[in-house]
Amino acid sequence: QVQLVESGGGSVQPGGSLRLSCTVTGATLNYYAIGWFRQVPGQEREGVSCSWSNPGSHYYADSVKGRFSISRDSAKNTVYLETNDLKPEDTGVYFCAAGRPSVGSSWYCHPKGYDYWGQGTQVTVSS
């Protein structure tokens, strides 16, 4: 069974950085796209960054372009989301998910494109 576990969340001041990790078990990482999604109370879960193993497949939401970076370590079956220059509006629960959506499809970085989900890690950006 595919399982995902996130870690690395926390509380930081505006301008700070965090590295979120998503470790996958029960599956070979390269067989899946991995997405990072963010959710705040009362709002729908939104795609932040998604990728297959090919760097050309990396997708970033406009709100995080230039500040966040997604990468993967296949040897560790882990995907990272480097978050820099954090803003209060980045606050939320960050989930990672695994799926097989096609690059460029409507579901590529949409929750409906992903089948397996982690439990989430809280990121709070506040002064």
Side-chain angles (χ1 to χ4, degrees):
Q1 183 175 355
V2 181
Q3 294 185 321
L4 298 89
V5 177
E6 303 95 336
S7 61
S11 295
V12 297
Q13 294 185 341
S17 300
L18 289 171
R19 186 170 85 158
L20 308 184
S21 299
C22 172
T23 299
V24 179
T25 59
T28 300
L29 187 61
N30 286 347
Y31 289 170
Y32 290 92
I34 301 295
W36 284 97
F37 299 84
R38 176 170 67 200
Q39 189 164 28
V40 297
Q43 296 185 21
E44 294 186 354
R45 197 169 293 185
E46 64 169 341
V48 173
S49 182
C50 299
S51 81
W52 283 89
S53 57
N54 175 11
S57 70
H58 293 179
Y59 165 89
Y60 298 96
D62 288 343
S63 60
V64 306
K65 281 181 182 176
R67 300 188 297 120
F68 289 15
S69 178
I70 192 169
S71 62
R72 56 174 68 193
D73 184 336
S74 297
K76 295 182 178 180
N77 245 32
T78 298
V79 177
Y80 303 100
L81 185 69
E82 298 278 358
T83 67
N84 299 303
D85 189 23
L86 284 161
K87 306 176 185 299
E89 52 265 39
D90 294 318
T91 294
V93 179
Y94 284 69
F95 298 88
C96 67
R100 298 179 61 80
S102 298
V103 177
S105 70
S106 298
W107 305 131
Y108 184 53
C109 208
H110 188 284
K112 290 186 178 180
Y114 293 79
D115 303 307
Y116 305 100
W117 291 82
Q119 82 290 348
T121 186
Q122 176 71 43
V123 172
T124 302
V125 185
S126 174
S127 56

